[in-house]
Amino acid sequence: MRDLTDGTITEAVVSTVRDAKDPRLGAILEALVRHVHDFVRETGLTEEEWARGVDFLTRTGQQCTPTRQEFILLSDVLGVTMLVDALGNRRAAGSTQNSVLGPFFRDDRPALPDGADISEGLPGTPLFFEGLVTDVHGKPVADAQVDVWHSDADGHYDVDVPGLADPAMRALLRTGGDGGFRFRSIRPAAYPIPDDGPVGELMRATGRSVMRPAHLHLRITAPGFQRVTTMLFPSDDAYLDRDPVFGVKQSLVADYSGHPAGTGPYGTATDEPYTLLRHTFVLEPGRSAHDPLRS
Ligand code: BEZ
Ligand code: FE
């Protein structure tokens, strides 16, 4: 392996990695080397551009903390997160589709009873949610775990609301014997992905919007079914067609219907106009895939 040239170096490097003890690792490294070398050849990458790329990746790593994962955010905005999900979780038409988990899921969410108000009194348009979880034949799935989390009316998650010590706008709920679950909260708003780091630079350099359309996150887990990690977007949101993380699917665009003040669903009085959202989640049989990475 001496006197390698641009014509021989790729095979030389491949020969050093393809026989890794773990054959899958060998295959992945071989493909990685081939693709990276082809990328360098195709773009004619200069030394200066290579150095800028190294600097970008270095700063991406430096931006990471226990609560900020800039590499996953980079994966999100390059469409890699949704591509990996699409390959690993092919769902039949009619079954609920996945979307990104995002960085705001928390394990320490409160387990709350059916119909609970999860808004912790934060201001915003009241939102009533009525969900139904079924199998692919329409049979209700009882006792499914339903995680819900979302932003407030200014687009902030509880962790970013000043002065808020306890979890809010998030809960762990369970479906009843009829497969149903309900909660009350406030209507979420669109918000920007974290854009004060290298990923934000990339977004500005490419003229891309950093705004995610408003959404509710839901993650549904039930024994014997594939876990669904998903979101529901209001059909009138201005950002649906430029989601920076490519998470919008037409089947996840929902009717957040407006209603005048009065008695809301399941008998709850509200003296303000409110939003009502009803959705059926269809789970496919199987085992839960690997827990999606968090950004
Ligand atoms: C979110 O929806 O919470 C999210 C997803 C990916 C990147 C940033 C935020
Ligand atoms: Fe979100």
Side-chain angles (χ1 to χ4, degrees):
M1 264 205 259
R2 295 185 188 180
D3 300 321
L4 295 172
T5 66
D6 60 312
T8 58
I9 192 164
T10 301
E11 290 311 319
V13 179
V14 163
S15 71
T16 66
V17 297
R18 69 151 66 104
D19 296 326
K21 272 196 208 106
D22 175 351
R24 175 72 180 150
L25 177 64
I28 288 172
L29 289 176
E30 174 175 355
L32 179 70
V33 170
R34 288 194 190 285
H35 285 277
V36 172
H37 284 213
D38 282 348
F39 161 78
V40 171
R41 285 192 191 90
E42 184 185 318
T43 57
L45 200 71
T46 66
E47 285 171 271
E48 194 207 335
E49 289 160 346
W50 171 86
R52 280 184 70 180
V54 170
D55 176 59
F56 178 84
L57 292 175
T58 303
R59 288 185 297 107
T60 299
Q62 287 165 343
Q63 191 79 46
C64 294
T65 68
T67 55
R68 171 88 178 252
Q69 232 301 355
E70 194 77 356
F71 271 115
I72 297 183
L73 191 59
L74 182 59
S75 163
D76 294 343
V77 302
L78 294 179
V80 178
T81 311
M82 285 304 292
L83 177 58
V84 171
D85 178 71
L87 295 174
N89 298 289
R90 290 197 192 282
R91 299 259 157 80
S95 299
T96 300
Q97 308 291 310
N98 273 354
S99 190
V100 284
L101 180 68
F104 298 110
F105 175 78
R106 282 169 63 176
D107 292 320
D108 63 344
R109 72 286 197 216
L112 295 178
D114 191 37
D117 183 346
I118 69 169
S119 71
E120 291 289 322
L122 288 166
T125 303
L127 170 92
F128 293 91
F129 189 95
E130 294 187 320
L132 173 66
V133 181
T134 75
D135 69 10
V136 291
H137 306 293
K139 186 167 164 254
V141 176
D143 215 26
Q145 282 197 6
V146 182
D147 261 294
V148 183
W149 68 105
H150 67 87
S151 74
D152 70 7
D154 294 323
H156 296 122
Y157 283 81
D158 53 1
V159 283
D160 293 323
V161 176
L164 198 62
D166 294 326
M169 304 172 291
R170 64 179 72 241
L172 176 61
L173 306 168
R174 276 185 185 276
T175 57
D178 61 353
F181 67 97
R182 286 148 283 266
F183 65 90
R184 177 182 175 157
S185 194
I186 51 171
R187 195 175 161 136
Y191 63 85
I193 59 167
D195 65 348
D196 56 346
V199 170
E201 282 171 34
L202 185 147
M203 300 301 279
R204 283 184 289 280
T206 50
R208 285 172 59 181
S209 165
V210 294
M211 293 299 291
R212 293 223 64 216
H215 53 274
L216 291 175
H217 291 266
L218 297 112
R219 187 162 80 155
I220 304 179
T221 314
F225 294 94
Q226 296 175 32
R227 177 176 47 231
V228 165
T229 302
T230 195
M231 299 184 197
L232 293 174
F233 305 91
S235 54
D236 59 354
D237 195 284
Y239 299 106
L240 285 177
D241 291 315
R242 44 193 153 134
D243 182 13
V245 303
F246 307 98
V248 178
K249 294 174 177 175
Q250 185 55 38
S251 62
L252 305 180
V253 176
D255 181 20
Y256 282 56
S257 64
H259 296 265
T263 304
Y266 44 97
T268 321
T270 161
D271 52 13
E272 304 165 78
Y274 67 90
T275 295
L276 173 62
L277 177 54
R278 294 193 169 105
H279 196 79
T280 298
F281 301 86
V282 179
L283 305 187
E284 289 197 5
R287 292 183 35 224
S288 284
H290 183 263
D291 210 359
L293 292 169
R294 299 193 198 163
S295 51

